[in-house]
Amino acid sequence: MLSARELKVFYGVIQGLKGVDIEVNDREIVTLIGSNGAGKTSTLHGIVNLVRSSGQVRFLNEDISRRQTHQIVRRGLALVPEGRHIFTNLTIEENLRMGAYHNQAAFASLRDKMFALFPRLKERRNQMAGTMSGGEQQMLAIARALMGEPVLLMLDEPSLGLAPRIVGELFATIEQLRNENITILLVEQNASAALRIADRAYVLENGKTVLSGPAREMLDNPEIKRMYLGG
Ligand code: ATP
């Protein structure tokens, strides 16, 4: 469904990515793990051309390397950025409406689908988004991205700042999305939680992919345990 070959990202003279190769197949959950600065966020931003990049990116059998971000999103590839970036002064329902801006006719049915998937958002539909808890705001950020009906959802550090119990709930929701036929590319600092729900994983170091394999094997890999899973 999605592939990146020799993906490089440039921040002025600084090279944020030096050659990342990844592949995500239909209905997979794939996770990218790596320490701070390894290039996880740059990979997601490079894929959707939010930053200056080179290399080949293919999505749904099409070369999207030179496409603009909004065109890529329209094709069905959505990004939930780190830090959520929801509209804190709008209600939950208004936030969802922003996510369906290109598809207003389908708004009500998509919103009801989101309320079924995230019951807490339904309870709070008229509440200002900024007054919700961190976990609820993350759910809203995901729901807002889903309002665009993506086939592939990229999540950047969704568990950041959330209490362990909420992280469990969030990851259960991510697994559920796969049952809704949504493919997931997940970036996480919380590598053990990510590897538990992922099918496959890539390890990034210094802007390059250095290892890939089934997530379960990664969980048992002594080197991965030592480096990323806290021993
Ligand atoms: P983190 O979890 O800390 O965000 P990451 O794995 O997502 O780490 P990136 O943020 O992609 O890593 O960073 C990859 C490299 O690019 C790092 O060396 C980082 O310092 C550099 N970099 C990222 N963003 C910028 C920027 N806006 N300007 C300059 N350099 C940047």
Side-chain angles (χ1 to χ4, degrees):
M1 175 174 275
L2 174 75
S3 67
R5 296 268 168 270
E6 274 298 298
L7 184 63
K8 295 176 180 156
V9 160
F10 308 90
Y11 301 102
V13 292
I14 297 169
Q15 196 171 346
L17 279 194
K18 297 173 183 144
V20 161
D21 292 281
I22 61 166
E23 202 162 313
V24 184
N25 300 310
D26 196 16
R27 292 191 65 192
E28 267 191 319
I29 298 179
V30 172
T31 184
L32 304 182
I33 59 180
S35 25
N36 283 336
K40 304 179 298 295
T41 297
S42 298
T43 300
L44 302 189
H45 289 188
I47 286 170
V48 291
N49 276 332
L50 274 173
V51 288
R52 196 161 71 81
S53 61
S54 72
Q56 196 195 45
V57 181
R58 293 185 69 81
F59 176 57
L60 298 176
N61 295 320
E62 194 192 337
D63 187 339
I64 58 163
S65 320
R66 297 279 157 268
R67 288 283 162 99
Q68 290 182 301
T69 306
H70 71 271
Q71 294 174 317
I72 297 172
V73 173
R74 278 277 183 101
R75 293 274 294 151
L77 206 175
L79 168 68
V80 179
E82 184 178 330
R84 298 150 204 160
H85 300 285
I86 55 165
F87 301 102
T88 51
N89 292 324
L90 297 183
T91 65
I92 279 86
E93 184 152 346
E94 286 164 345
N95 267 274
L96 294 180
R97 192 176 281 282
M98 299 301 265
Y101 64 93
H102 71 287
N103 196 5
Q104 289 292 335
F107 170 70
S109 73
L110 287 168
R111 176 203 55 198
D112 292 348
K113 208 169 149 188
M114 290 311 126
F115 284 163
L117 203 53
F118 305 98
R120 206 133 2 125
L121 297 184
K122 184 175 184 181
E123 283 165 30
R124 314 221 159 161
R125 61 202 286 176
N126 296 317
Q127 190 174 320
M128 289 296 162
T131 64
M132 293 199 303
S133 72
E136 288 161 351
Q137 291 190 19
Q138 185 62 57
M139 298 292 188
L140 176 59
I142 293 172
R144 188 184 57 186
L146 293 174
M147 291 295 284
E149 298 188 278
V151 290
L152 195 156
L153 190 63
M154 302 197 298
L155 299 164
D156 195 356
E157 303 277 7
S159 79
L160 205 68
L162 302 184
R165 185 177 56 82
I166 309 296
V167 173
E169 241 178 74
L170 173 72
F171 277 66
T173 306
I174 296 172
E175 276 189 293
Q176 207 183 331
L177 294 180
R178 183 229 304 270
N179 302 331
E180 306 277 327
N181 286 330
I182 294 167
T183 303
I184 308 277
L185 178 56
L186 172 66
V187 159
E188 263 294 337
Q189 284 284 330
N190 189 342
S192 58
L195 287 172
R196 272 191 213 103
I197 63 161
D199 301 300
R200 290 188 306 112
Y202 291 87
V203 179
L204 303 191
E205 269 174 27
N206 296 319
K208 281 177 166 268
T209 20
V210 293
L211 192 67
S212 69
R216 226 162 291 124
E217 281 176 23
M218 296 268 187
L219 276 171
D220 295 332
N221 179 321
E223 189 74 356
I224 299 288
K225 273 188 185 164
R226 190 176 62 78
M227 295 272 295
Y228 305 107
L229 305 176

